[in-house]
Amino acid sequence: PLAMNFRYDGGQNPSYSVLAGVLQRLIEAAKAGKVESPIQQLDRNSAGPAMALDFTGRPGEAAFSGQTIVEFVGRGGLGAVSAAANLVQIVNGQAAVADTKGEAITKFARGIPQFGSEKTGSPTYAAALIDTKRITTYDTGGPRDGYIFFRADLITPKHFASLKEGGFILVNTVYSPERIREKYNIPDSVTIYTIPATKMARESLGKDTPNNVLLTALSIIRPDMLSLDELKGAIGSSLKKKGPDVIKKNIDLTDAVSTSLKRNEGRKS
């Protein structure tokens, strides 16, 4: 399982992901006392079970106490896995800086993507775990603080059931949160945020790259997870080779998010 640590605790490696699926099926077959021939890797792109990367058994709820979990939900090519990786890298980057200075590390992060032999358009999922203590589990079974949907048509009732009390969903859509609540029958207990992230990125950058818009929205919704200054610093560093004009366009785009982000809390009982 340590091999599933990926790049900087949150990157992506399809080979490891496929291996994880195969190992999970082998373990299930061993527990059931039967062997499928041949062993086929099934994952959340198809009819198979979701993969849990902690092969030693699922921890109880206590393992997730105090842990913040946000899941990015998309389709292959939309950038959901990359967005989770970026969030984790920013948090761990700040931790590395603090460690270098001899300061206390206040946040740790781990990214756990779930996808198999991915093709463009197939569902992809990536959980970002953030905690005040070191994260030792590879399990993503804890309740979610929030979901970030790269497309509204990926919303299903199972997502509401796994949200913590007071949880939120952030949706990349041109529609209002009220329309999204009505269309997908979302419970009033769930706070809904919407932002036309793809549309904004296309108009500002000429590309369908909603990642930074959605991460900026997350920094507004949950600044305890990610600060806007941290995100802007990461954008500047990652685009340094592309020049100041490209950096400025991306920073200006993040500054426009606050006026485009819409919120609906529903009716509280």
Side-chain angles (χ1 to χ4, degrees):
L2 288 179
M4 305 307 165
N5 206 4
F6 302 106
R7 171 172 55 92
Y8 302 115
D9 265 1
Q12 51 183 304
N13 188 317
S15 297
Y16 282 149
S17 185
V18 172
L19 175 62
V22 174
L23 290 175
Q24 183 68 23
R25 294 304 302 277
L26 285 169
I27 291 169
E28 290 173 355
K31 288 180 178 178
K34 65 178 181 179
V35 177
E36 298 179 14
S37 181
I39 293 291
Q40 294 182 349
Q41 187 260 339
L42 293 179
D43 53 42
R44 291 175 74 172
N45 290 351
S46 59
M51 291 185 295
L53 301 186
D54 182 355
F55 297 138
T56 60
R58 246 192 166 138
E61 283 298 312
F64 303 106
S65 177
Q67 197 172 90
T68 298
I69 305 178
V70 61
E71 184 168 324
F72 296 75
V73 184
R75 294 189 182 278
L78 294 182
V81 173
S82 295
N86 291 343
L87 171 59
V88 169
Q89 287 179 37
I90 292 170
V91 173
N92 286 338
Q94 295 297 315
V97 170
D99 189 47
T100 301
K101 295 180 178 179
E103 300 172 354
I105 300 175
T106 58
K107 284 191 296 186
F108 299 87
R110 169 163 288 160
I112 305 179
Q114 299 186 47
F115 60 97
S117 47
E118 178 188 354
K119 60 178 181 287
T120 300
S122 298
T124 56
Y125 310 78
L129 286 61
I130 299 176
D131 206 334
T132 56
K133 57 184 181 296
R134 290 190 182 276
I135 301 170
T136 59
T137 180
Y138 290 84
D139 195 282
T140 60
R144 274 39 175 168
D145 291 76
Y147 282 93
I148 298 177
F149 293 96
F150 278 61
R151 288 175 56 115
D153 61 5
L154 293 167
I155 300 172
T156 66
K158 71 178 182 181
H159 295 117
F160 319 142
S162 60
L163 273 176
K164 293 179 182 177
E165 183 178 355
F168 71 90
I169 66 171
L170 168 62
V171 189
N172 174 19
T173 179
V174 297
Y175 295 112
S176 69
E178 292 79 12
R179 175 72 180 109
I180 293 297
R181 187 182 300 280
E182 177 185 10
K183 181 176 176 62
Y184 295 98
N185 196 27
I186 300 174
D188 288 335
S189 59
V190 178
T191 300
I192 303 173
Y193 295 86
T194 62
I195 189 164
T198 297
K199 180 175 181 289
M200 292 174 66
R202 187 183 298 126
E203 291 175 350
S204 298
L205 308 175
K207 297 180 180 180
D208 294 343
T209 51
N211 292 24
N212 286 337
V213 175
L214 292 170
L215 286 176
T216 302
L218 177 63
S219 74
I220 295 172
I221 298 168
R222 288 291 301 268
D224 59 313
M225 293 182 62
L226 172 69
S227 77
L228 185 55
D229 287 341
E230 290 172 348
L231 177 58
K232 287 183 176 181
I235 290 172
S237 297
S238 64
L239 298 176
K240 188 175 182 180
K241 292 183 179 179
K242 296 190 176 182
D245 290 342
V246 173
I247 294 175
K248 184 178 185 302
K249 284 183 179 180
N250 280 269
I251 297 298
D252 288 346
L253 179 58
T254 64
D255 289 335
V257 168
S258 61
T259 57
S260 299
L261 183 64
K262 307 302 179 186
R263 170 178 175 171
N264 179 269
E265 292 190 12
R267 296 184 300 275
K268 304 299 180 182
S269 58

